[in-house]
Amino acid sequence: MIPPAFEYTRPTSVDEAVHALADAGDEAKVLAGGQSLLPLLRLRLAFPELVVDVGRIPELRGVREDGDALVIGSMTTHHEVVHDPLVRRYAGLLAEATATVADPAVRHRGTLGGSLAHADPAGDLPAVALALDAEMVVAGPGGRRTMPAREFFVDYLQSALAPDELLVEVRIPKADGWSFHYEKFHAVAQSWAIVGVAALVRRDDGRIAEARIGLTNMGATPLRATAAEEALSGADGPEAVARAAGAAAEGTRPAQDLSASPEYREHLARVLTRRAVLTAGGMG
Ligand SMILES: Cc1cc2nc3c(=O)[nH]c(=O)nc-3n(C[C@H](O)[C@H](O)[C@H](O)COP(=O)(O)OP(=O)(O)OC[C@H]3O[C@@H](n4cnc5c(N)ncnc54)[C@H](O)[C@@H]3O)c2cc1C
């Protein structure tokens, strides 16, 4: 299909990009890797008058340390995230989950910022950002603001970004002392998750001291499995983990679609949480 006609601009700085978005009101769309936006344009599900291509803004690329945080530019590609030594060292869960996103061609074009801004609950990285307690740094006409991941994902395919705002970078607290695993259930290799579970575990004296669980595709937004997180505190072996994982679907509202019923997704959330926590905690 051929997309509808649109104006196109390719700014070279964040300020220029924000001005272009502000001038267009809510008639503009940011273009990052294009892996989600281009299909929407071609299917004529999006009709922007202006496309703002942020692919030539150097500030939006790369990974750096900033004290206790890792800072990843929004235009950093999935491929770069998977192979970056700082990400692997301080946010290994993100590298592991990103390696399961689609296929190499998509991972070379698609970006971390694009995946988060797209706010697809079936995307792997929003749930990972929630589990990692990531923060989003956003630029708009009034300057920059930072918001936690739990406030960023508002509804199905809807983030907290205003039409004239750009996601600039993602800040992730360094996960020293945490082990992790991303468990993804998909029907076909290199495809979307039917359900995914992102687990971070901190152990103390053989027990789980603290766990953080992010759920992919268990509602209109990515979710934290808070009931399971609480139940996991103090778990000392596989049986205790299995009992706690039984709470993983509490508070979720998974969708019915061609891949799975809500009940099947709830079952998957419990099973995958148990597997993810046991693997993360080295207790399997
Ligand atoms: C065949 C295929 C399989 C896929 N499989 C998976 C999968 O298994 N798991 C998974 O998680 N994803 C999957 N994806 C999606 C992929 O991860 C995309 O990279 C991602 O959804 C969007 O990233 P992008 O950089 O291409 O963003 P784009 O498509 O360019 O943009 C997506 C949306 O975000 C907005 N946006 C982008 N960047 C910014 C920014 N910096 N600030 C503000 N708004 C912004 C755009 O305006 C648009 O609305 C798949 C995609 C394809 C084509």
Side-chain angles (χ1 to χ4, degrees):
M1 294 263 298
I2 304 200
F6 50 79
E7 297 292 318
Y8 172 87
T9 184
R10 195 167 62 191
T12 53
S13 72
V14 169
D15 281 354
E16 240 182 88
V18 167
H19 277 119
L21 291 171
D23 287 349
D26 55 7
E27 303 300 332
K29 272 281 185 194
V30 173
L31 173 67
Q35 298 303 296
S36 295
L37 183 60
L38 290 188
L40 289 177
L41 294 176
R42 297 179 106 176
L43 291 167
R44 302 204 168 210
L45 295 171
F47 300 86
E49 285 178 8
L50 174 69
V51 168
V52 180
D53 179 349
V54 293
R56 296 280 171 93
I57 304 179
E59 187 195 334
L60 298 181
R61 278 189 186 272
V63 182
R64 63 185 166 86
E65 289 179 80
D66 183 13
D68 291 340
L70 195 64
V71 184
I72 307 179
S74 62
M75 280 300 292
T76 308
T77 65
H78 300 319
H79 177 83
E80 289 162 346
V81 165
V82 171
H83 295 282
D84 187 274
L86 288 173
V87 178
R88 294 173 84 96
R89 175 157 179 206
Y90 294 118
L93 176 64
L94 179 64
E96 185 190 352
T98 305
T100 75
V101 169
D103 50 52
V106 172
R107 291 199 293 274
H108 272 86
R109 297 289 312 172
T111 65
L112 176 61
S115 289
L116 299 177
H118 193 51
D120 186 343
D124 298 289
L125 307 182
V128 170
L130 271 189
L132 286 167
D133 282 342
E135 291 181 322
M136 314 294 170
V137 180
V138 170
R144 294 193 181 197
R145 64 185 178 123
T146 301
M147 77 183 93
R150 65 177 179 281
E151 290 173 15
F152 186 76
F153 303 106
V154 174
D155 205 343
Y156 182 71
L157 298 184
Q158 194 187 325
S159 77
L161 288 167
D164 55 5
E165 285 185 320
L166 187 67
L167 177 58
V168 174
E169 59 193 22
V170 181
R171 296 178 67 88
I172 300 175
K174 289 179 181 170
D176 276 332
W178 291 79
S179 50
F180 56 85
H181 183 60
Y182 187 65
E183 189 77 27
K184 176 170 176 173
F185 186 84
H186 44 184
V188 185
Q190 304 192 330
S191 69
W192 297 88
I194 294 176
V195 172
V197 173
L200 284 157
V201 169
R202 191 171 59 74
R203 290 186 73 184
D204 187 18
D205 204 17
R207 291 168 182 268
I208 293 177
E210 210 180 332
R212 297 197 218 138
I213 311 291
L215 299 175
T216 297
N217 223 357
M218 286 298 292
T221 63
L223 296 169
R224 282 280 285 265
T226 47
E229 290 179 351
E230 281 167 25
L232 280 162
S233 172
D236 56 1
E239 284 173 17
V241 170
R243 273 196 303 279
E250 273 182 33
T252 65
R253 292 192 63 189
Q256 164 89 46
D257 61 23
L258 290 175
S259 304
S261 66
E263 294 75 22
Y264 183 49
R265 285 200 159 91
E266 288 171 7
H267 169 74
L268 284 174
R270 292 188 280 268
V271 171
L272 301 180
T273 297
R274 176 174 56 79
R275 285 187 200 161
V277 171
L278 289 177
T279 306
M283 301 162 94

